[in-house]
Amino acid sequence: MKKIYLGFILLIISSLIFAQVPPQLTVKSFKLENGLTIYLNEDHSKPEVFGAIVVNTGSKNDPKDATGTAHYFEHMMFKGTDQIGTLNWQTEKIYLDSMTVLYDSLSLTKDEAARNAILLHINKISIAASEYAIPNETDIILQNIGGTGLNAYTSLEQTVYFNSFPANQLEKWMTIYAERFRNPVFRLFQSELETVYEEKNMYADNAFSNLFEQFSKSLYKNHPYGQQTTIGTTESLKNPRISKMMEFYKTNYVANNMALVISGDINSEAIIPLIKKYFGNWKSGEVPKYPVYEEKPFNGRELVVKKLTPVKIGILAYRGVPNKHKDELVLDICSQILSNEGQTGLFDKLVSDSKLMGANAEVMKGNDLGSLLIVIVPKIIGQSLEKAEKLVLEQIENLKKGNFDNSLLDAIKLNYRKSVDQRFESSQGRSMMLISAFSEGRQWEDYLNESAEVEKITKEDIIRVANQYFTGNYLAFFSKMGFPKKDKITKPNWAPVIPKNSEKKSEFASQLNNIPDTKIEPRFVNFNKDLTISTIKSGIDFYYTNNPINTIFTLTLKYKIGINSNSMLAAMANYMNFIGTKDKSIQEFRKALQSIGATFRVWSSNNNILLEIDGFESKLEPTLKLIAEFMNNPKADEKQLDKLVQGAKMEYKTIKADAESMSDVLNNYSMFKENSEYLKHLSIKETKKLKGDQLIALFKDVLQYECEIHYVGKLSVDEVNKTIGNTLPFAITPKPAVYIENQVTEANEPIIYIYDDPKALQSKMTFWCNGSIPTEEEKAKLNGFNEYFGAGMSSIVFQEIREFRSLSYSAYAYYTNRFLKTNKGYLYAGMGTQSDKTIEGVQVMTDLIKNMPQKPDRMESIKKGLLQAIHTQNSGFRNLSQTVSSWKFQGYNSDPREYRMQVYNNLQFSDVQAMYEKFVKGKPIVITITGNMKKVDLIALAKFGKVIKVNEKLILKK
């Protein structure tokens, strides 16, 4: 004990020596005169910037009679303004104003016939208004400047809009975002409303989304946290009011309730005048004070039992604390004493001892209220939720009494510090922290000081706080196996709104070209300078990358054989995470790692078994000695085999009950037949026959294969090489690598595989057709084809299926090349639509694949986007060596993007057309449909190909 504690103190001291704040962690924050909060964070490691607008309002701010407003308004923010997305705003406005009146009238009308008449009128006005709309212009102009990752989200507390872009496009990005929020308009409202309907149906098909919604209602009986869902009620979505959304915008989207976050390759001081120029004229406003919602303590044990999920799940909930409360960090540590990543917590021991399938403690905090959640998964067979509850309550009592080692608390605090440091590593990660800081009213320094604050926490603090919050008053929410009725929202029988101006530009878009670009050179990866690659001996390659941020190392041992060679390797990798060594039990082994701030896991992929280690570099040698002990002397533990069986049973039940998962199962079968991952994996029966010694022998065999060592850290290459060589065991003569890539089935005719799921609201559909083997030039041109056809928000597929016809929340299509250059690629597409729209969905998607629309005017935008996006595609330092390794395996001796950029410079629409004709056109299309087949016209479906009905046994091994 004394040695461990002394080592911990020495580690803290040694790490403090290097605790100078690197420049990447410096944040400049201030407010404009209008109250807009600005956060600027410089990071010149990549020529890339991450930008975001944060609105301090979320679904909790929705009007009670118009739930879902914040989320739906987020959707509308992509439709443009009176400057973006319109050819003639003055005329378009007349129609949009009429729709505002019609939607208000609809919300007040109860008579069904009258409602249908209003809906038809809305449809006509929507079609007329679309004559002046330029669809997706926001997406297109952001794509033009190399914007990637364009997205937004609505949470309980905030709404956030963001994307990455090249550093030389900063002023154009500011111009676009400043305009987006100035005067958003509600064009193409009908189409987006139908899309949200599909989104709601999609969530309704997910059992665990329904579980959390029902649990939240019981947890927060008064507060909107529980009583209002982000997407909104069916009633609210059926009766949207544009006037309510306008009011919501004017009230909440004001400068003093918003923040601008910019992180990346910027000069903070130099861009302040631009920020003032573009964002300084946003209007301020008085933000209403949010009401106080009282949530009374639970009255003893309040039991709620429902049948919602394919397996039994229990959630125990205690009243906790909101953000910024004095006890929040102590409660975070309490939760990790119960369960943590190192698997050393009090609950983790229950799982390790096979007393429970799973138990996890989580702290859920909002700005108003907080909760402590204990998620329990009993054994699939033979254990009740009540028995599982009793086991975790006993461990909570141990927490309250302080019945845990001081070394556990010390180790958790050390690993907490490591997790905080890791959050600082990327500009996007830091941006997300700044977004939270604004919403929660924190200072950046609060995050920088968080580790020091955690270090002050004592065992006495843990006992005090645990006794204060883990009381006998709690919610016991039990979900037993069941399939509840789903709340379907049916779309009106509207004619699609198909704008005719998709190839035109607004005056705003044209004027963007007047803003000059600052020329920057792309930063391609230099295999000789950006990392160090060497061969330790034949079959053992070493990749080293410098860590510019902190003293946390990551080490990956990548053995070159995987589950495509032997499906038992997946079970082996899983099992190795449950056992210890000949001298240390699993708990002792995990505690030894955790005490020095290290984590370790084994996992499998199709062609690799990976051992992943991370920790503090000051403890590299003792960390690797522990890993070497594990590699040399793992000890079988037959009790842990039951976890594999329980896991297999749970996975089977969960997949079978989830429409999205079964869609993936069906698609895998259609593409790979007997090589489908759902048929090749071990069955429950096969898993039961496994023996510990058998799996350890398999692990030992894997260690004899060729291996790549990937190290990221600050220590010198020689020092790391020496430490690894002196500690870790490697094969004297490694077995040659085995790489197997399953071939896609050759489709000789159009085929439709259908799987009947009577409870599904949506039909989940995939489409694919065989392709060919491309040249390097064609690979670059296929990227252009993907951007044009179906890989983004401004693509043909997305526009035709989601934007124009509102058939699916998600719609995509792209040509994918196989990893091995000798294997053919394929076109892959997907969408999900309500069951009675299945035939229409199949018709539209297959028409697009068979007859790609010709819109050559889009090429300028696509070409610009591809060229600019090169600047935002560099790997972070943690992933750089894995990226280079992948390229080298495919035969590249330099960054392949350098050649592709040359191709992009000369890209023409004729190239896109040529790629379509060579790789897609005329190929038989294979379709898979998972859904309620009673709602599908199978005779009409047969017109698209040979219909093959499949059952669960054919496509999913039990």
Side-chain angles (χ1 to χ4, degrees):
M1 177 72 72
K2 288 182 180 177
K3 287 183 179 179
I4 292 175
Y5 188 75
L6 178 61
F8 171 75
I9 294 296
L10 290 173
L11 178 56
I12 292 296
I13 292 171
S14 64
S15 62
L16 287 175
I17 294 171
F18 301 99
Q20 299 174 0
V21 177
Q24 295 96 327
L25 303 192
T26 301
V27 170
K28 183 178 182 62
S29 63
F30 58 94
K31 286 189 178 183
L32 301 184
E33 290 183 6
N34 59 5
L36 180 68
T37 300
I38 311 295
Y39 298 102
L40 304 177
N41 169 235
E42 290 191 36
D43 180 356
H44 301 290
S45 60
K46 296 193 288 183
E48 175 184 352
V49 180
F50 181 85
I53 295 291
V54 192
V55 189
N56 207 14
T57 190
S59 58
K60 77 173 189 181
N61 302 96
D62 288 344
K64 291 187 181 300
D65 61 346
T67 59
T69 296
H71 171 253
Y72 190 49
F73 185 78
E74 171 219 311
H75 280 242
M76 295 310 301
M77 280 294 299
F78 287 81
K79 301 303 177 186
T81 68
D82 56 357
Q83 299 293 321
I84 299 176
T86 186
L87 288 176
N88 185 334
W89 169 242
Q90 295 304 318
T91 304
E92 183 187 19
K93 185 177 185 298
I94 296 170
Y95 291 103
L96 298 185
D97 287 346
S98 297
M99 278 195 288
T100 299
V101 175
L102 286 169
Y103 274 110
D104 280 356
S105 177
L106 180 70
S107 68
L108 300 172
T109 303
K110 303 300 179 185
D111 180 74
E112 200 61 32
R115 284 180 61 84
N116 287 334
I118 295 171
L119 288 169
L120 285 174
H121 196 181
I122 287 173
N123 190 211
K124 290 178 181 178
I125 296 294
S126 297
I127 292 171
S130 72
E131 296 284 335
Y132 307 94
I134 305 173
N136 299 102
E137 188 167 50
T138 299
D139 312 320
I140 291 168
I141 57 180
L142 284 167
Q143 181 190 53
N144 280 351
I145 66 168
T148 57
L150 174 63
N151 215 328
Y153 66 83
T154 304
S155 68
L156 297 170
E157 313 279 4
Q158 60 187 198
T159 311
V160 184
Y161 305 83
F162 57 90
N163 72 279
S164 296
F165 55 93
N168 66 328
Q169 300 294 323
L170 179 60
E171 185 170 2
K172 286 184 180 178
W173 183 87
M174 288 187 188
T175 306
I176 296 165
Y177 266 67
E179 172 60 23
R180 283 185 74 185
F181 292 84
R182 181 188 58 79
N183 183 30
V185 299
F186 297 86
R187 68 171 51 89
L188 303 176
F189 188 88
Q190 171 197 309
S191 303
E192 200 62 32
L193 182 63
E194 291 183 277
T195 298
V196 173
Y197 287 178
E198 287 297 350
E199 185 178 4
K200 185 171 177 65
N201 288 336
M202 179 181 71
Y203 290 136
D205 271 341
N206 186 295
F208 296 100
S209 293
N210 193 26
L211 167 68
F212 189 75
E213 180 180 330
Q214 294 298 318
F215 162 72
S216 297
K217 286 181 180 179
S218 298
L219 176 61
Y220 296 117
K221 301 171 184 176
N222 298 310
H223 198 284
Y225 284 173
Q227 298 305 307
Q228 295 182 187
T229 62
T230 298
I231 200 164
T233 64
T234 298
E235 187 64 24
S236 291
L237 290 175
K238 284 182 176 179
N239 296 284
R241 296 182 65 179
I242 294 177
S243 59
K244 282 268 187 183
M245 290 193 181
M246 288 178 175
E247 183 182 338
F248 183 86
Y249 163 72
K250 291 176 182 177
T251 301
N252 296 288
Y253 280 62
V254 289
N256 49 306
N257 198 40
M258 301 171 73
L260 168 67
V261 178
I262 301 178
S263 176
D265 192 12
I266 61 172
N267 182 322
S268 296
E269 290 297 327
I271 68 172
I272 290 175
L274 288 175
I275 291 171
K276 291 178 178 178
K277 173 184 175 181
Y278 289 108
F279 298 96
N281 59 359
W282 278 6
K283 294 179 181 178
S284 301
E286 184 177 346
V287 182
K289 187 176 180 180
Y290 194 73
V292 175
Y293 291 89
E294 182 184 2
E295 291 290 350
K296 295 179 181 179
F298 294 110
N299 185 16
R301 176 181 181 265
E302 293 189 15
L303 177 65
V304 176
V305 181
K306 293 182 180 291
K307 294 182 178 181
L308 301 171
T309 46
V311 293
K312 294 175 289 188
I313 293 179
I315 309 176
L316 309 184
Y318 298 81
R319 297 285 182 225
V321 300
N323 288 314
K324 294 182 66 179
H325 190 280
K326 64 181 180 65
D327 290 334
E328 68 168 330
L329 282 178
V330 183
L331 280 170
D332 285 340
I333 299 301
C334 282
S335 73
Q336 294 203 29
I337 292 174
L338 294 172
S339 63
N340 57 67
E341 184 185 11
Q343 302 174 31
T344 61
L346 302 179
F347 291 169
D348 296 321
K349 191 172 189 310
L350 291 175
V351 177
S352 177
D353 292 342
S354 299
K355 294 181 179 180
L356 277 177
M357 177 71 181
N360 195 51
E362 295 286 345
V363 178
M364 189 168 73
K365 291 174 289 186
N367 290 343
D368 306 328
L369 300 165
S371 299
L372 310 168
L373 309 184
I374 311 297
V375 180
I376 312 167
V377 183
K379 293 181 180 181
I380 301 298
I381 297 174
Q383 188 176 46
S384 67
L385 283 160
E386 288 78 10
K387 287 181 180 178
E389 177 188 12
K390 183 180 178 183
L391 288 170
V392 299
L393 289 177
E394 288 171 356
Q395 295 307 316
I396 289 174
E397 285 303 308
N398 282 328
L399 175 72
K400 292 163 69 174
K401 292 174 182 177
N403 293 337
F404 55 88
D405 292 340
N406 287 327
S407 60
L408 175 60
L409 175 58
D410 291 339
I412 284 171
K413 290 194 293 185
L414 178 61
N415 282 271
Y416 191 96
R417 197 202 105 200
K418 184 179 71 175
S419 69
V420 169
D421 287 351
Q422 288 171 323
R423 281 190 290 164
F424 288 121
E425 288 186 352
S426 71
S427 61
Q428 186 165 341
R430 293 190 292 274
S431 295
M432 290 302 170
M433 295 169 76
L434 289 168
I435 287 167
S436 296
F438 176 68
S439 176
E440 297 167 13
R442 301 182 194 270
Q443 301 299 313
W444 179 245
E445 289 69 26
D446 294 340
Y447 293 110
L448 295 177
N449 297 330
E450 194 171 0
S451 293
E453 291 301 312
V454 166
E455 189 52 39
K456 297 175 185 176
I457 296 172
T458 65
K459 190 170 188 177
E460 288 70 29
D461 293 326
I462 298 294
I463 293 170
R464 173 186 62 80
V465 168
N467 279 279
Q468 181 175 345
Y469 296 98
F470 288 103
T471 69
N473 301 316
Y474 64 95
L475 168 68
F477 189 93
F478 289 172
S479 172
K480 298 188 176 181
M481 184 174 173
F483 304 95
K485 185 178 179 180
K486 299 174 182 178
D487 182 19
K488 178 183 178 181
I489 183 165
T490 304
K491 297 188 292 185
N493 192 25
W494 276 327
V497 177
I498 304 179
K500 298 177 174 60
N501 307 308
S502 58
E503 311 315 304
K504 296 183 179 179
K505 288 184 181 180
S506 66
E507 184 64 25
F508 177 90
S510 298
Q511 290 177 352
L512 274 178
N513 293 326
N514 296 330
I515 300 175
D517 297 338
T518 304
K519 187 174 181 180
I520 58 172
E521 292 298 322
R523 298 186 199 174
F524 297 113
V525 178
N526 187 313
F527 289 16
N528 298 315
K529 293 182 179 180
D530 294 332
L531 70 167
T532 300
I533 308 171
S534 60
T535 298
I536 293 179
K537 64 178 182 178
S538 178
I540 309 293
D541 295 324
F542 179 61
Y543 290 74
Y544 172 92
T545 309
N546 180 60
N547 175 352
I549 299 289
N550 52 44
T551 58
I552 299 169
F553 79 86
T554 51
L555 173 64
T556 302
L557 306 180
K558 185 177 178 182
Y559 292 92
K560 298 184 178 183
I561 185 170
I563 56 179
N564 277 355
S565 302
N566 183 349
S567 57
M568 197 182 295
L569 288 174
M572 179 277 292
N574 198 10
Y575 178 70
M576 300 308 291
N577 292 306
F578 299 145
I579 64 172
T581 70
K582 288 183 178 179
D583 295 325
K584 293 181 179 70
S585 68
I586 177 61
Q587 283 290 308
E588 290 169 337
F589 176 64
R590 293 291 172 178
K591 284 180 180 178
L593 284 169
Q594 194 178 56
S595 70
I596 54 176
T599 55
F600 168 63
R601 73 165 182 150
V602 183
W603 66 282
S604 59
S605 67
N606 285 341
N607 285 291
N608 297 110
I609 299 298
L610 299 103
L611 278 61
E612 291 188 339
I613 309 116
D614 69 23
F616 292 96
E617 281 196 304
S618 58
K619 292 294 179 181
L620 176 62
E621 186 172 354
T623 299
L624 296 192
K625 283 182 177 178
L626 284 168
I627 303 305
E629 179 184 346
F630 181 86
M631 294 170 71
N632 286 320
N633 298 300
K635 184 179 179 181
D637 185 346
E638 299 303 311
K639 289 190 304 181
Q640 304 303 325
L641 292 170
D642 185 54
K643 288 189 179 63
L644 302 183
V645 177
Q646 295 284 327
K649 289 178 179 177
M650 184 173 182
E651 182 180 28
Y652 174 73
K653 286 176 176 287
T654 303
I655 288 174
K656 190 173 69 167
D658 181 64
E660 194 73 48
S661 297
M662 286 305 297
S663 175
D664 190 54
V665 171
L666 181 60
N667 178 68
N668 250 268
Y669 175 77
S670 75
M671 296 185 77
F672 302 108
K673 292 297 189 292
E674 68 277 1
N675 285 320
S676 164
E677 62 182 278
Y678 297 100
L679 293 175
K680 289 190 72 175
H681 70 191
L682 298 184
S683 67
I684 296 171
K685 187 176 181 180
E686 289 169 329
T687 304
K688 286 180 178 179
K689 295 179 180 179
L690 293 174
K691 301 296 181 184
D693 288 336
Q694 174 191 20
L695 295 175
I696 286 177
L698 196 54
F699 174 71
K700 291 280 192 177
D701 183 61
V702 165
L703 299 186
Q704 299 305 306
Y705 278 83
E706 289 184 359
C707 175
E708 287 178 359
I709 304 168
H710 293 265
Y711 186 88
V712 181
K714 283 186 178 296
L715 294 174
S716 69
V717 175
D718 290 341
E719 189 174 356
V720 173
N721 213 329
K722 180 181 177 182
T723 304
I724 291 174
N726 289 340
T727 53
L728 299 182
F730 293 101
I732 296 173
T733 306
K735 295 181 181 181
V738 180
Y739 195 97
I740 297 175
E741 185 173 58
N742 292 324
Q743 296 277 14
V744 178
T745 303
E746 285 290 334
N748 299 313
E749 61 178 328
I751 299 175
I752 303 142
Y753 295 94
I754 60 174
Y755 173 78
D756 186 27
D757 182 353
K759 299 180 181 66
L761 299 182
Q762 285 190 321
S763 286
K764 317 287 185 185
M765 297 184 282
T766 68
F767 307 75
W768 62 268
C769 56
N770 299 112
S772 305
I773 300 173
T775 64
E776 286 302 309
E777 182 180 6
E778 288 171 338
K779 284 183 179 180
K781 291 178 178 180
L782 280 166
N783 289 338
F785 164 79
N786 285 340
E787 289 299 314
Y788 173 79
F789 189 62
M793 290 185 179
S794 57
S795 67
I796 295 290
V797 166
F798 189 86
Q799 283 192 339
E800 292 286 340
I801 292 177
R802 173 172 160 158
E803 297 294 287
F804 299 168
R805 293 173 175 81
S806 306
L807 284 171
S808 181
Y809 173 69
S810 174
Y812 55 87
Y814 53 86
Y815 188 88
T816 183
N817 294 306
R818 307 310 305 281
F819 190 74
L820 294 179
K821 292 182 177 181
T822 53
N823 287 345
K824 294 180 181 179
Y826 55 91
L827 181 84
Y828 183 77
M831 62 179 291
T833 192
Q834 64 184 48
S835 301
D836 55 358
K837 300 280 187 181
T838 300
I839 299 300
E840 184 181 354
V842 171
Q843 183 72 64
V844 175
M845 183 68 88
T846 54
D847 281 350
L848 292 172
I849 295 172
K850 290 178 178 178
N851 300 289
M852 183 180 77
Q854 308 292 298
K855 298 181 183 293
D857 291 345
R858 297 192 176 194
M859 278 313 298
E860 179 188 0
S861 170
I862 289 168
K863 184 175 175 179
K864 281 183 180 178
L866 288 168
L867 287 167
Q868 291 295 336
I870 288 284
H871 302 295
T872 65
Q873 293 171 346
N874 284 24
S875 295
F877 69 91
R878 291 287 182 199
N879 301 315
L880 178 62
S881 66
Q882 295 278 8
T883 299
V884 171
S885 164
S886 175
W887 284 338
K888 284 174 65 67
F889 184 81
Q890 291 179 293
Y892 298 109
N893 295 315
S894 61
D895 190 333
R897 297 174 303 155
E898 190 166 3
Y899 172 73
R900 289 170 192 170
M901 191 170 187
Q902 297 174 25
V903 179
Y904 298 156
N905 272 313
N906 300 303
L907 196 66
Q908 305 292 326
F909 184 74
S910 58
D911 296 315
V912 169
Q913 182 65 27
M915 294 303 98
Y916 167 70
E917 290 179 356
K918 178 175 180 178
F919 292 94
V920 178
K921 188 175 182 180
K923 306 291 179 67
I925 302 171
V926 178
I927 304 169
T928 73
I929 306 173
T930 302
N932 184 354
M933 291 303 147
K934 289 182 179 178
K935 300 289 183 72
V936 179
D937 185 342
L938 297 183
I939 295 175
L941 188 63
K943 296 177 183 178
F944 298 94
K946 179 182 177 182
V947 177
I948 299 176
K949 299 178 182 179
V950 302
N951 57 33
E952 176 195 313
K953 290 182 179 179
L954 180 66
I955 60 176
L956 177 63
K957 187 195 287 187
K958 182 175 180 180

